[in-house]
Amino acid sequence: MILIFLGAPGAGKGTQSELIAKEFSIPQISTGDILRNEVALVTDLGMKAKAYMDNGELVPDDIIIQIIEKRIKNGDTKNGFILDGFPRTIKQAEELDSMLQKNNLSISKVVFIDVQDEVIIERLSGRRVCPSCNAVYHIKYNPPKVENICDKCGSKLIQRSDDHEDVIKRRLQTYKENTSPLVEYYANSMRLIKISGEKDIMDIFHEILDELLNIPK
Ligand code: ADP
Ligand code: ADP
Ligand code: ZN
């Protein structure tokens, strides 16, 4: 099963893809996590990407496509994988289609999580992440058991440097300009599942699961 999670920053892509990845025992591939890891390790790639990320802009397509091509070749993807935060442009989506086609693979479903702009700022400004295992929390909606400590690995949680109001606004604008056209791109090929992201985390999870298992409601 090959899934894509699509949606604005803060829609819940990371939260839901982590749950679905666990459910189906397939890896969650987040281009944002891969990039932040490169930035932390001060690699050439990380240094190229950093300025774009800090400004809430997209990292150039050629860099992102190389990252994905390399990651998909990893042996852990043989039973499928989840793409979280990729593709983010039509160009990336077209490259992905041809990459998969070459290997006789295709996208099973694109899960589009729909949220209004108003909830995004509150979600992102309250987001806390684990720098070690990339788990995602929210100070109000999904707090860790012990304040500021990751439930899964015990590391101290951090706030992402791009989760501040000025950068959040740029990211939303970037999403609207470059990424939102993908909703139509995938709807045209009948691969889209649209889910409202303004519900409880577990309710959304079960809704996505039902769709993926094709259980009639
Ligand atoms: P969010 O949680 O807001 O959806 P991500 O963690 O997915 O954010 O991405 C953080 C940043 O990394 C983006 O603002 C962008 O600069 C860069 N990035 C991540 N994925 C991509 C991509 N597919 N194409 C271009 N830039 C990307
Ligand atoms: P994305 O990957 O789309 O940027 P995240 O999964 O990181 O989004 O979620 C953004 C923030 O909102 C996180 O702090 C997360 O804990 C919180 N969150 C996710 N889904 C919900 C939800 N359904 N209701 C309330 N808060 C949520
Ligand atoms: Zn952790």
Side-chain angles (χ1 to χ4, degrees):
M1 181 161 61
I2 298 176
L3 301 175
I4 291 174
F5 276 71
L6 183 64
K13 302 180 295 295
T15 301
Q16 295 300 332
S17 53
E18 188 185 332
L19 293 167
I20 297 287
K22 204 169 157 203
E23 183 72 27
F24 291 101
S25 301
I26 52 176
Q28 169 194 9
I29 300 175
S30 156
T31 41
D33 286 345
I34 295 172
L35 290 168
R36 276 184 293 279
N37 191 38
E38 297 285 336
V39 171
L41 295 172
V42 206
T43 62
D44 285 351
L45 174 66
M47 290 307 96
K48 275 187 207 148
K50 190 175 184 308
Y52 297 102
M53 297 170 79
D54 287 345
N55 289 328
E57 286 161 16
L58 294 181
V59 173
D61 287 336
D62 54 332
I63 297 182
I64 296 290
I65 289 156
Q66 273 176 38
I67 291 176
I68 285 291
E69 239 172 346
K70 189 168 159 225
R71 178 63 186 86
I72 290 176
K73 285 194 184 123
N74 202 319
D76 65 347
T77 60
K78 63 179 187 304
N79 294 325
F81 51 89
I82 298 181
L83 295 170
D84 161 16
F86 175 90
R88 261 175 153 98
T89 62
I90 298 278
K91 167 92 177 144
Q92 290 178 17
E94 288 171 349
E95 290 283 342
L96 176 66
D97 279 338
S98 72
M99 213 186 293
L100 294 176
Q101 214 168 24
K102 271 186 223 149
N103 295 294
N104 274 322
L105 298 169
S106 62
I107 295 161
S108 315
K109 285 289 170 197
V110 177
V111 180
F112 169 51
I113 309 180
D114 192 24
V115 291
Q116 303 293 308
D117 290 1
E118 298 78 68
V119 300
I120 286 172
I121 295 191
E122 198 201 357
R123 284 208 187 161
L124 292 184
S125 39
R127 173 159 69 182
R128 298 293 180 271
V129 297
C130 175
S132 307
C133 75
N134 299 316
V136 181
Y137 300 88
H138 191 280
I139 49 172
K140 188 162 145 200
Y141 302 119
N142 185 23
K145 292 193 183 82
V146 179
E147 200 181 327
N148 239 8
I149 299 293
C150 179
D151 291 348
K152 300 191 174 77
C153 76
S155 301
K156 194 163 183 275
L157 301 180
I158 57 160
Q159 181 167 27
R160 273 171 48 174
S161 58
D162 58 347
D163 278 347
H164 291 102
E165 197 162 338
D166 50 336
V167 190
I168 292 172
K169 287 195 174 136
R170 287 299 305 278
R171 285 158 64 201
L172 252 177
Q173 201 183 340
T174 302
Y175 170 78
K176 286 194 178 140
E177 278 166 23
N178 301 286
T179 309
S180 67
L182 288 178
V183 176
E184 206 183 311
Y185 179 86
Y186 287 118
N188 286 338
S189 60
M190 314 269 284
R191 293 178 279 189
L192 198 76
I193 298 173
K194 184 175 168 180
I195 303 272
S196 162
E198 293 180 35
K199 277 177 271 182
D200 184 79
I201 291 174
M202 290 317 286
D203 290 346
I204 299 170
F205 168 62
H206 287 293
E207 205 173 306
I208 297 172
L209 202 56
D210 283 355
E211 289 278 0
L212 295 179
L213 298 172
N214 242 334
I215 299 165
K217 277 188 226 71

